[in-house]
Amino acid sequence: MGMQERKVLPPDAPVPDGAVDAGTAPPASRVERLAASGDAVLVTLETDARDPDPGLLAAASVYAWLGAVYFRVPESQADGMGQVLDMVASIQGTRPPTVARRGLA
């Protein structure tokens, strides 16, 4: 499967064309199985937190690592989610890091 750019969607967004909805906070094995079959996977994550929710962002990083492409999240989480998806892509080597620092001793 070629790497697709991951996208953050609003909570009421429809399932994008060609994507399969893994559900709300699905088991990691389901996301991994769907992604391995070549499908673009949509994951929905919910929280009532107004500030960035560390648990939601951590879960998103795992789903992204496993191959999820689309993420429906509350508006309050969108900025943090974008940063998490950029971080995962940088670690996986599919995008360059925004800032590279060396020798910070």
Side-chain angles (χ1 to χ4, degrees):
M1 173 183 124
M3 287 301 293
Q4 297 181 4
E5 182 180 343
R6 296 176 179 108
K7 298 188 190 266
V8 179
L9 305 173
D12 57 349
V15 176
D17 289 339
V20 61
D21 188 353
T24 302
S29 60
R30 176 172 167 72
V31 173
E32 187 173 33
R33 185 176 64 252
L34 291 170
S37 71
D39 293 322
V41 180
L42 166 69
V43 172
T44 301
L45 299 169
E46 298 175 338
T47 185
D48 293 331
R50 294 187 186 274
D51 295 325
D53 182 337
L56 179 136
L57 298 175
S61 69
V62 172
Y63 291 132
W65 189 268
L66 295 174
V69 175
Y70 299 105
F71 296 84
R72 278 193 294 216
V73 298
E75 294 295 326
S76 64
Q77 305 300 312
D79 288 341
M81 181 65 66
Q83 291 176 354
V84 165
L85 298 181
D86 286 347
M87 176 198 66
V88 171
S90 292
I91 292 169
Q92 288 181 323
T94 59
R95 75 178 283 282
T98 302
V99 176
R101 294 192 174 106
R102 298 172 74 173
L104 296 175

Coordinates of all heavy atoms in Angstrom, one line a residue:
M1 N 0.8 -1.2 0.0 CA 0.0 0.0 0.0 C 0.9 1.2 0.0 O 1.8 1.4 0.8 CB -0.9 0.0 1.3 CG -1.7 1.2 1.5 SD -2.6 1.2 3.0 CE -2.0 2.6 3.8
G2 N 0.6 2.2 -0.9 CA 1.3 3.5 -0.9 C 0.9 4.3 0.3 O -0.2 4.3 0.7
M3 N 1.8 5.1 0.8 CA 1.5 6.0 1.9 C 0.6 7.1 1.4 O 1.0 7.8 0.5 CB 2.8 6.5 2.6 CG 3.5 5.5 3.4 SD 2.6 4.8 4.7 CE 2.4 6.2 5.8
Q4 N -0.5 7.3 2.1 CA -1.4 8.4 1.8 C -1.2 9.5 2.8 O -0.8 9.2 4.0 CB -2.8 8.0 1.8 CG -3.2 6.9 0.7 CD -4.6 6.6 0.8 OE1 -5.4 7.1 1.6 NE2 -5.0 5.6 0.0
E5 N -1.4 10.7 2.5 CA -1.3 11.8 3.4 C -2.5 11.7 4.4 O -3.6 11.5 4.0 CB -1.4 13.2 2.8 CG -1.3 14.3 3.7 CD -1.4 15.7 3.0 OE1 -1.2 15.7 1.8 OE2 -1.6 16.6 3.7
R6 N -2.2 11.7 5.7 CA -3.2 11.6 6.7 C -3.9 12.9 6.9 O -3.3 14.0 6.8 CB -2.5 11.2 8.0 CG -1.9 9.8 7.9 CD -1.2 9.4 9.2 NE -0.6 8.1 9.1 CZ 0.7 7.9 9.0 NH1 1.6 8.8 9.0 NH2 1.1 6.6 8.9
K7 N -5.2 12.8 7.2 CA -6.0 14.0 7.3 C -6.9 14.0 8.5 O -7.4 13.0 8.9 CB -6.9 14.1 6.1 CG -6.1 14.2 4.8 CD -7.1 14.6 3.6 CE -6.3 14.4 2.3 NZ -5.8 15.5 1.8
V8 N -7.1 15.2 9.1 CA -7.9 15.4 10.3 C -9.2 15.9 9.7 O -9.3 16.9 9.0 CB -7.3 16.4 11.3 CG1 -8.2 16.6 12.4 CG2 -5.9 15.9 11.7
L9 N -10.3 15.3 10.1 CA -11.7 15.7 9.7 C -12.5 16.1 10.9 O -12.3 15.7 12.0 CB -12.4 14.5 9.0 CG -11.6 13.9 7.9 CD1 -12.4 12.6 7.4 CD2 -11.5 14.8 6.7
P10 N -13.5 17.0 10.6 CA -14.4 17.4 11.7 C -15.3 16.2 12.1 O -15.4 15.2 11.3 CB -15.3 18.5 11.1 CG -15.1 18.4 9.7 CD -13.8 17.7 9.4
P11 N -15.8 16.2 13.3 CA -16.6 15.0 13.8 C -17.8 14.7 13.0 O -18.2 13.5 13.1 CB -17.0 15.4 15.3 CG -16.8 16.9 15.4 CD -15.8 17.3 14.3
D12 N -18.4 15.6 12.3 CA -19.6 15.3 11.5 C -19.3 15.0 10.0 O -20.2 14.9 9.2 CB -20.6 16.4 11.6 CG -20.0 17.8 11.2 OD1 -18.8 17.9 11.0 OD2 -20.8 18.7 11.1
A13 N -18.0 14.9 9.7 CA -17.6 14.7 8.3 C -18.1 13.3 7.8 O -18.0 12.3 8.6 CB -16.1 14.8 8.1
P14 N -18.5 13.2 6.6 CA -18.9 11.9 6.0 C -17.6 11.0 5.8 O -16.5 11.6 5.8 CB -19.6 12.2 4.7 CG -19.0 13.5 4.3 CD -18.7 14.3 5.6
V15 N -17.8 9.7 5.6 CA -16.7 8.9 5.3 C -16.2 9.2 3.9 O -17.0 9.3 2.9 CB -17.2 7.4 5.3 CG1 -16.0 6.5 4.9 CG2 -17.7 7.0 6.7
P16 N -14.9 9.6 3.7 CA -14.4 9.9 2.4 C -14.6 8.8 1.4 O -14.6 7.6 1.8 CB -12.9 10.2 2.7 CG -12.9 10.5 4.2 CD -13.9 9.7 4.8
D17 N -14.7 9.2 0.1 CA -14.8 8.2 -0.9 C -13.6 7.2 -0.9 O -12.4 7.7 -0.7 CB -14.8 8.8 -2.3 CG -16.2 9.6 -2.5 OD1 -17.2 9.2 -1.9 OD2 -16.2 10.5 -3.4
G18 N -13.8 6.0 -1.0 CA -12.8 5.0 -1.0 C -12.2 4.6 0.3 O -11.3 3.8 0.4
A19 N -12.8 5.1 1.4 CA -12.3 4.8 2.8 C -13.3 3.9 3.4 O -14.5 3.8 3.1 CB -12.2 6.1 3.6
V20 N -12.8 3.1 4.4 CA -13.6 2.3 5.2 C -13.6 2.8 6.6 O -12.5 3.2 7.1 CB -13.1 0.8 5.1 CG1 -11.7 0.6 5.6 CG2 -14.1 -0.1 5.8
D21 N -14.8 2.8 7.2 CA -14.9 3.3 8.6 C -14.6 2.2 9.6 O -15.4 1.3 9.7 CB -16.3 3.9 8.8 CG -16.5 4.6 10.1 OD1 -15.6 4.6 10.9 OD2 -17.6 5.2 10.3
A22 N -13.6 2.4 10.4 CA -13.2 1.4 11.4 C -14.0 1.6 12.6 O -14.0 0.7 13.5 CB -11.7 1.5 11.7
G23 N -14.7 2.7 12.8 CA -15.6 2.9 13.9 C -14.9 3.9 14.9 O -13.9 4.5 14.7
T24 N -15.6 4.0 16.1 CA -15.1 4.9 17.1 C -14.2 4.1 18.1 O -14.6 3.1 18.6 CB -16.3 5.5 17.9 OG1 -17.2 6.2 17.0 CG2 -15.9 6.4 19.0
A25 N -13.0 4.6 18.2 CA -12.0 4.0 19.0 C -11.9 2.5 18.8 O -12.1 1.7 19.8 CB -12.2 4.4 20.5
P26 N -11.7 2.0 17.6 CA -11.7 0.6 17.3 C -10.5 -0.1 17.9 O -9.5 0.5 18.2 CB -11.7 0.5 15.8 CG -10.9 1.8 15.4 CD -11.3 2.8 16.4
P27 N -10.6 -1.4 18.0 CA -9.4 -2.2 18.4 C -8.3 -2.0 17.4 O -8.5 -1.9 16.2 CB -9.9 -3.6 18.4 CG -11.4 -3.6 18.4 CD -11.7 -2.3 17.8
A28 N -7.1 -1.9 17.9 CA -5.9 -1.7 17.0 C -5.8 -2.8 16.0 O -5.5 -2.6 14.8 CB -4.6 -1.7 17.9
S29 N -6.2 -4.0 16.3 CA -6.1 -5.2 15.4 C -7.0 -4.9 14.2 O -6.7 -5.3 13.1 CB -6.4 -6.5 16.1 OG -7.8 -6.4 16.6
R30 N -8.2 -4.3 14.4 CA -9.1 -4.0 13.3 C -8.5 -3.0 12.4 O -8.5 -3.2 11.1 CB -10.4 -3.5 13.9 CG -11.4 -3.1 12.8 CD -12.8 -2.8 13.4 NE -13.7 -2.1 12.5 CZ -14.3 -2.6 11.4 NH1 -14.1 -3.9 11.2 NH2 -15.1 -1.9 10.7
V31 N -7.9 -1.9 12.9 CA -7.3 -0.9 12.1 C -6.1 -1.5 11.3 O -6.0 -1.3 10.1 CB -6.8 0.3 12.9 CG1 -6.0 1.3 12.1 CG2 -8.0 1.0 13.6
E32 N -5.3 -2.3 11.9 CA -4.2 -2.9 11.3 C -4.7 -3.9 10.1 O -4.1 -3.8 9.1 CB -3.4 -3.7 12.3 CG -2.1 -4.3 11.8 CD -1.2 -4.9 12.9 OE1 -1.8 -5.5 13.8 OE2 0.0 -4.8 12.8
R33 N -5.7 -4.6 10.4 CA -6.2 -5.6 9.4 C -6.8 -4.8 8.2 O -6.5 -5.1 7.0 CB -7.3 -6.5 10.0 CG -7.8 -7.5 9.1 CD -8.8 -8.5 9.8 NE -10.0 -7.8 10.2 CZ -10.3 -7.5 11.5 NH1 -9.5 -7.8 12.4 NH2 -11.4 -6.9 11.7
L34 N -7.5 -3.7 8.4 CA -8.1 -3.0 7.3 C -7.0 -2.3 6.5 O -7.1 -2.2 5.3 CB -9.1 -1.9 7.9 CG -10.4 -2.5 8.5 CD1 -11.2 -1.4 9.2 CD2 -11.2 -3.2 7.4
A35 N -6.1 -1.7 7.2 CA -5.0 -1.0 6.5 C -4.1 -2.0 5.7 O -3.7 -1.7 4.6 CB -4.1 -0.3 7.5
A36 N -3.9 -3.2 6.2 CA -3.1 -4.2 5.5 C -3.8 -4.6 4.2 O -3.1 -5.1 3.3 CB -2.8 -5.4 6.4
S37 N -5.1 -4.5 4.2 CA -5.9 -5.0 3.0 C -5.8 -3.9 1.9 O -6.3 -4.1 0.8 CB -7.3 -5.3 3.4 OG -8.0 -4.1 3.7
G38 N -5.2 -2.7 2.2 CA -5.1 -1.7 1.2 C -6.1 -0.6 1.3 O -6.1 0.3 0.5
D39 N -7.0 -0.7 2.3 CA -8.1 0.3 2.4 C -7.6 1.5 3.1 O -6.7 1.4 4.0 CB -9.3 -0.3 3.2 CG -10.0 -1.4 2.5 OD1 -10.2 -1.3 1.3 OD2 -10.4 -2.3 3.2
A40 N -8.1 2.7 2.7 CA -7.9 3.9 3.5 C -8.8 3.8 4.7 O -10.0 3.7 4.5 CB -8.2 5.1 2.6
V41 N -8.3 3.9 5.9 CA -9.0 3.7 7.1 C -9.4 5.0 7.8 O -8.5 5.8 7.9 CB -8.2 2.8 8.1 CG1 -9.0 2.5 9.3 CG2 -7.9 1.4 7.4
L42 N -10.7 5.1 8.2 CA -11.1 6.2 9.0 C -11.4 5.8 10.4 O -12.0 4.7 10.6 CB -12.5 6.7 8.4 CG -13.3 7.7 9.3 CD1 -12.6 9.0 9.4 CD2 -14.7 7.9 8.7
V43 N -10.8 6.6 11.3 CA -11.0 6.3 12.8 C -11.7 7.5 13.4 O -11.3 8.7 13.1 CB -9.7 6.0 13.5 CG1 -9.8 5.9 15.0 CG2 -9.1 4.7 12.9
T44 N -12.7 7.3 14.2 CA -13.3 8.4 14.9 C -12.9 8.3 16.4 O -13.0 7.3 17.0 CB -14.9 8.3 14.8 OG1 -15.2 8.3 13.4 CG2 -15.6 9.4 15.5
L45 N -12.5 9.5 16.9 CA -12.1 9.6 18.3 C -12.9 10.7 19.0 O -13.1 11.7 18.4 CB -10.6 9.9 18.4 CG -9.7 8.8 17.8 CD1 -8.3 9.3 17.7 CD2 -9.8 7.5 18.6
E46 N -13.4 10.4 20.2 CA -14.3 11.3 20.9 C -13.7 11.7 22.2 O -13.1 10.8 22.9 CB -15.7 10.7 21.0 CG -16.4 10.4 19.7 CD -17.7 9.7 19.9 OE1 -17.9 9.1 20.9 OE2 -18.5 9.8 19.0
T47 N -14.0 12.9 22.7 CA -13.6 13.4 24.0 C -14.4 14.6 24.3 O -14.8 15.3 23.4 CB -12.1 13.7 24.1 OG1 -11.8 14.0 25.5 CG2 -11.7 14.8 23.2
D48 N -14.6 14.9 25.6 CA -15.3 16.1 26.0 C -14.3 17.2 26.4 O -14.7 18.3 26.7 CB -16.2 15.8 27.2 CG -17.4 14.9 26.8 OD1 -17.8 15.0 25.6 OD2 -17.9 14.2 27.7
A49 N -13.0 16.8 26.4 CA -12.0 17.8 26.8 C -11.9 19.0 25.9 O -12.0 18.9 24.7 CB -10.6 17.1 26.8
R50 N -11.7 20.1 26.5 CA -11.6 21.4 25.7 C -10.1 21.6 25.4 O -9.8 22.2 24.4 CB -12.1 22.6 26.5 CG -13.6 22.5 26.6 CD -14.2 23.8 27.3 NE -15.6 23.7 27.6 CZ -16.5 23.9 26.7 NH1 -16.3 24.3 25.5 NH2 -17.8 23.8 27.1
D51 N -9.2 21.1 26.2 CA -7.8 21.2 26.0 C -7.3 19.9 25.3 O -8.0 18.9 25.3 CB -7.0 21.4 27.3 CG -7.4 22.7 28.0 OD1 -7.6 23.7 27.3 OD2 -7.5 22.7 29.2
P52 N -6.1 19.9 24.7 CA -5.6 18.7 24.1 C -5.7 17.5 25.1 O -5.3 17.6 26.2 CB -4.2 19.0 23.7 CG -4.2 20.5 23.5 CD -5.2 21.0 24.5
D53 N -6.3 16.4 24.6 CA -6.5 15.2 25.4 C -5.3 14.3 25.2 O -5.2 13.7 24.1 CB -7.8 14.6 25.1 CG -8.1 13.4 25.9 OD1 -7.2 12.7 26.5 OD2 -9.3 13.0 26.0
P54 N -4.4 14.1 26.1 CA -3.2 13.2 25.9 C -3.6 11.8 25.5 O -2.9 11.2 24.7 CB -2.5 13.3 27.2 CG -3.0 14.5 28.0 CD -4.4 14.7 27.5
G55 N -4.6 11.3 26.1 CA -5.0 9.9 25.8 C -5.5 9.8 24.4 O -5.2 8.8 23.7
L56 N -6.3 10.7 23.9 CA -6.8 10.7 22.6 C -5.7 10.8 21.6 O -5.6 10.1 20.6 CB -7.8 11.9 22.4 CG -8.4 12.0 21.0 CD1 -9.9 12.2 21.1 CD2 -7.8 13.1 20.2
L57 N -4.7 11.8 21.9 CA -3.6 12.0 21.0 C -2.7 10.8 20.9 O -2.2 10.4 19.9 CB -2.9 13.2 21.4 CG -3.7 14.5 21.3 CD1 -2.9 15.7 21.8 CD2 -4.2 14.8 19.9
A58 N -2.5 10.1 22.1 CA -1.7 8.9 22.1 C -2.3 7.8 21.3 O -1.7 7.1 20.5 CB -1.5 8.4 23.5
A59 N -3.7 7.6 21.4 CA -4.4 6.6 20.7 C -4.3 6.9 19.2 O -4.0 6.0 18.4 CB -5.8 6.6 21.1
A60 N -4.4 8.2 18.8 CA -4.3 8.5 17.4 C -2.9 8.2 16.8 O -2.8 7.8 15.7 CB -4.5 10.0 17.2
S61 N -1.9 8.4 17.6 CA -0.5 8.0 17.1 C -0.4 6.6 16.8 O 0.2 6.2 15.8 CB 0.6 8.5 18.1 OG 0.5 7.8 19.3
V62 N -1.0 5.7 17.7 CA -1.0 4.3 17.4 C -1.7 3.9 16.1 O -1.3 3.2 15.3 CB -1.5 3.5 18.6 CG1 -1.6 2.0 18.3 CG2 -0.6 3.7 19.8
Y63 N -2.9 4.5 16.0 CA -3.7 4.2 14.8 C -3.0 4.7 13.6 O -3.0 4.0 12.5 CB -5.1 4.9 14.9 CG -6.0 4.4 15.9 CD1 -6.7 5.2 16.8 CD2 -6.3 3.0 16.0 CE1 -7.6 4.7 17.8 CE2 -7.2 2.5 16.9 CZ -7.8 3.3 17.8 OH -8.7 2.8 18.7
A64 N -2.4 5.9 13.6 CA -1.6 6.4 12.5 C -0.5 5.4 12.1 O -0.2 5.1 11.0 CB -1.1 7.8 12.7
W65 N 0.2 5.0 13.1 CA 1.4 4.1 12.9 C 0.9 2.8 12.2 O 1.6 2.2 11.4 CB 2.0 3.7 14.3 CG 3.3 3.0 14.1 CD1 3.5 1.6 14.0 CD2 4.6 3.5 13.8 NE1 4.8 1.3 13.8 CE2 5.5 2.5 13.7 CE3 5.1 4.8 13.8 CZ2 6.9 2.7 13.5 CZ3 6.4 5.0 13.5 CH2 7.3 3.9 13.4
L66 N -0.3 2.3 12.6 CA -0.9 1.1 12.0 C -1.5 1.3 10.6 O -1.8 0.3 10.0 CB -1.9 0.5 13.0 CG -1.4 0.1 14.3 CD1 -2.6 -0.3 15.2 CD2 -0.4 -1.1 14.2
G67 N -1.6 2.5 10.2 CA -2.0 2.8 8.8 C -3.3 3.5 8.7 O -3.8 3.7 7.5
A68 N -4.0 4.0 9.7 CA -5.2 4.8 9.5 C -4.8 6.1 8.8 O -3.7 6.7 9.0 CB -5.8 5.2 10.9
V69 N -5.7 6.5 7.9 CA -5.4 7.7 7.1 C -6.3 8.9 7.5 O -5.8 10.0 7.5 CB -5.7 7.4 5.6 CG1 -5.6 8.6 4.7 CG2 -4.8 6.2 5.1
Y70 N -7.5 8.7 7.9 CA -8.5 9.7 8.2 C -8.8 9.6 9.7 O -9.0 8.6 10.2 CB -9.7 9.6 7.4 CG -9.5 9.8 5.9 CD1 -9.5 8.6 5.1 CD2 -9.2 11.0 5.3 CE1 -9.3 8.7 3.7 CE2 -9.0 11.1 3.9 CZ -9.1 10.0 3.1 OH -8.8 10.1 1.8
F71 N -8.9 10.8 10.3 CA -9.2 10.9 11.7 C -10.3 11.9 12.0 O -10.1 13.1 11.7 CB -8.0 11.3 12.5 CG -6.9 10.3 12.5 CD1 -6.0 10.2 11.4 CD2 -6.8 9.3 13.4 CE1 -5.0 9.3 11.3 CE2 -5.8 8.3 13.4 CZ -4.9 8.3 12.3
R72 N -11.5 11.5 12.4 CA -12.6 12.4 12.8 C -12.4 12.7 14.3 O -12.4 11.8 15.1 CB -13.9 11.8 12.6 CG -14.4 11.9 11.2 CD -15.9 11.6 11.0 NE -16.2 10.2 11.3 CZ -17.1 9.5 10.7 NH1 -17.8 10.0 9.8 NH2 -17.3 8.3 11.1
V73 N -12.2 14.0 14.6 CA -12.0 14.4 16.0 C -12.7 15.7 16.3 O -13.0 16.4 15.4 CB -10.5 14.5 16.4 CG1 -9.7 13.2 16.2 CG2 -9.8 15.6 15.5
P74 N -13.0 15.9 17.6 CA -13.6 17.2 18.0 C -12.7 18.4 17.6 O -11.5 18.2 17.5 CB -13.7 17.1 19.5 CG -13.7 15.7 19.8 CD -12.8 15.1 18.8
E75 N -13.3 19.5 17.3 CA -12.5 20.7 16.8 C -11.5 21.1 17.9 O -10.4 21.5 17.5 CB -13.5 21.9 16.6 CG -14.4 21.7 15.4 CD -13.7 21.6 14.1 OE1 -12.7 22.3 13.9 OE2 -14.2 20.8 13.2
S76 N -11.8 20.9 19.2 CA -10.8 21.2 20.2 C -9.5 20.4 20.1 O -8.5 20.8 20.7 CB -11.4 21.0 21.6 OG -11.7 19.7 21.8
Q77 N -9.5 19.3 19.4 CA -8.4 18.4 19.3 C -7.7 18.5 18.0 O -6.6 17.9 17.8 CB -8.8 17.0 19.5 CG -9.6 16.7 20.8 CD -8.7 17.1 22.1 OE1 -7.6 16.7 22.2 NE2 -9.3 17.9 23.0
A78 N -8.2 19.3 17.0 CA -7.7 19.3 15.7 C -6.2 19.7 15.6 O -5.4 19.1 14.8 CB -8.5 20.2 14.8
D79 N -5.8 20.8 16.3 CA -4.4 21.3 16.2 C -3.5 20.2 16.7 O -2.4 19.9 16.1 CB -4.3 22.6 16.9 CG -4.9 23.7 16.2 OD1 -5.2 23.6 15.0 OD2 -5.1 24.8 16.9
G80 N -3.7 19.7 17.9 CA -2.9 18.7 18.5 C -2.8 17.4 17.6 O -1.8 16.8 17.5
M81 N -3.9 17.1 17.0 CA -4.0 15.9 16.1 C -3.1 16.1 14.9 O -2.4 15.2 14.5 CB -5.4 15.6 15.7 CG -5.6 14.4 14.8 SD -5.2 12.9 15.6 CE -6.5 12.8 16.8
G82 N -3.1 17.3 14.3 CA -2.2 17.5 13.2 C -0.8 17.4 13.6 O 0.0 16.8 12.8
Q83 N -0.4 17.8 14.8 CA 1.0 17.7 15.2 C 1.3 16.2 15.4 O 2.4 15.8 15.1 CB 1.2 18.5 16.5 CG 1.1 20.0 16.3 CD 1.2 20.7 17.6 OE1 1.2 20.2 18.7 NE2 1.3 22.1 17.5
V84 N 0.4 15.5 16.0 CA 0.7 14.0 16.2 C 0.9 13.3 14.9 O 1.8 12.5 14.7 CB -0.5 13.4 17.0 CG1 -0.4 11.9 16.9 CG2 -0.4 13.8 18.4
L85 N 0.0 13.6 13.9 CA 0.1 13.0 12.6 C 1.4 13.4 11.9 O 2.1 12.5 11.2 CB -1.1 13.3 11.7 CG -2.4 12.8 12.3 CD1 -3.6 13.2 11.3 CD2 -2.4 11.3 12.6
D86 N 1.9 14.6 12.0 CA 3.1 15.0 11.4 C 4.3 14.3 12.1 O 5.2 13.9 11.5 CB 3.3 16.5 11.6 CG 2.5 17.4 10.6 OD1 1.9 16.8 9.7 OD2 2.4 18.6 10.9
M87 N 4.2 14.1 13.4 CA 5.3 13.5 14.2 C 5.4 12.0 13.7 O 6.5 11.5 13.5 CB 5.0 13.5 15.7 CG 6.0 12.7 16.5 SD 5.4 12.3 18.2 CE 4.1 11.2 17.8
V88 N 4.3 11.3 13.6 CA 4.3 9.9 13.2 C 4.9 9.8 11.8 O 5.7 8.9 11.5 CB 2.9 9.3 13.3 CG1 2.9 7.9 12.6 CG2 2.4 9.2 14.7
A89 N 4.5 10.7 10.9 CA 5.0 10.6 9.5 C 6.5 10.9 9.5 O 7.3 10.3 8.8 CB 4.3 11.7 8.7
S90 N 7.0 11.8 10.4 CA 8.4 12.1 10.5 C 9.2 10.9 11.0 O 10.2 10.5 10.5 CB 8.7 13.3 11.3 OG 8.2 14.4 10.7
I91 N 8.6 10.2 12.0 CA 9.3 9.0 12.6 C 9.3 7.9 11.6 O 10.3 7.2 11.5 CB 8.6 8.6 13.9 CG1 8.8 9.6 15.0 CG2 9.1 7.2 14.4 CD1 8.0 9.4 16.2
Q92 N 8.2 7.7 10.8 CA 8.2 6.7 9.8 C 9.0 7.0 8.6 O 9.3 6.2 7.7 CB 6.7 6.4 9.4 CG 5.9 5.7 10.5 CD 4.5 5.4 10.0 OE1 3.9 6.2 9.3 NE2 4.0 4.3 10.4
G93 N 9.5 8.3 8.5 CA 10.3 8.7 7.3 C 9.5 9.0 6.1 O 10.1 9.1 5.0
T94 N 8.2 9.3 6.2 CA 7.4 9.7 5.0 C 7.3 11.2 4.9 O 6.8 11.6 3.9 CB 6.0 9.1 5.1 OG1 5.4 9.5 6.3 CG2 6.1 7.5 5.2
R95 N 7.9 11.9 5.8 CA 8.0 13.4 5.6 C 9.2 13.8 6.5 O 9.5 13.2 7.5 CB 6.7 14.1 6.1 CG 6.6 14.2 7.6 CD 5.3 15.0 8.0 NE 5.4 16.4 8.0 CZ 6.1 17.2 8.9 NH1 6.7 16.6 9.9 NH2 6.1 18.4 8.7
P96 N 9.9 14.9 6.0 CA 11.0 15.4 6.8 C 10.5 16.0 8.1 O 9.4 16.6 8.2 CB 11.7 16.4 5.9 CG 10.6 16.8 5.0 CD 9.7 15.7 4.8
P97 N 11.4 16.0 9.1 CA 11.0 16.7 10.4 C 10.9 18.2 10.1 O 11.6 18.7 9.2 CB 12.1 16.4 11.3 CG 13.1 15.5 10.6 CD 12.6 15.3 9.2
T98 N 10.1 18.9 10.8 CA 9.9 20.4 10.7 C 11.2 21.1 11.1 O 11.7 22.0 10.4 CB 8.7 20.9 11.5 OG1 7.6 20.2 11.1 CG2 8.5 22.4 11.3
V99 N 11.8 20.6 12.2 CA 13.0 21.2 12.7 C 14.0 20.1 13.1 O 13.5 19.1 13.7 CB 12.8 22.1 13.9 CG1 14.1 22.6 14.5 CG2 11.8 23.3 13.6
A100 N 15.2 20.2 12.6 CA 16.2 19.2 13.0 C 17.3 19.9 13.8 O 17.9 20.9 13.4 CB 16.8 18.5 11.8
R101 N 17.5 19.4 15.0 CA 18.6 20.0 15.9 C 19.5 18.9 16.3 O 19.1 17.8 16.6 CB 18.0 20.6 17.1 CG 17.1 21.8 16.8 CD 16.7 22.6 18.1 NE 16.0 23.8 17.7 CZ 14.7 24.0 17.9 NH1 14.0 23.0 18.4 NH2 14.2 25.1 17.5
R102 N 20.8 19.2 16.3 CA 21.8 18.3 16.6 C 22.8 18.9 17.6 O 23.0 20.1 17.6 CB 22.6 17.8 15.4 CG 21.6 17.1 14.4 CD 22.3 16.9 13.1 NE 23.3 15.8 13.3 CZ 23.9 15.2 12.3 NH1 23.7 15.7 11.1 NH2 24.7 14.2 12.5
G103 N 23.4 18.1 18.5 CA 24.4 18.6 19.4 C 23.9 19.6 20.4 O 24.5 20.7 20.5
L104 N 22.8 19.3 21.0 CA 22.2 20.2 22.0 C 22.8 20.1 23.4 O 22.2 20.5 24.3 CB 20.7 20.0 22.0 CG 20.0 20.3 20.7 CD1 18.5 20.0 20.8 CD2 20.1 21.8 20.3
A105 N 23.9 19.5 23.5 CA 24.5 19.3 24.9 C 24.9 20.6 25.5 O 25.1 21.6 25.0 CB 25.7 18.5 24.8

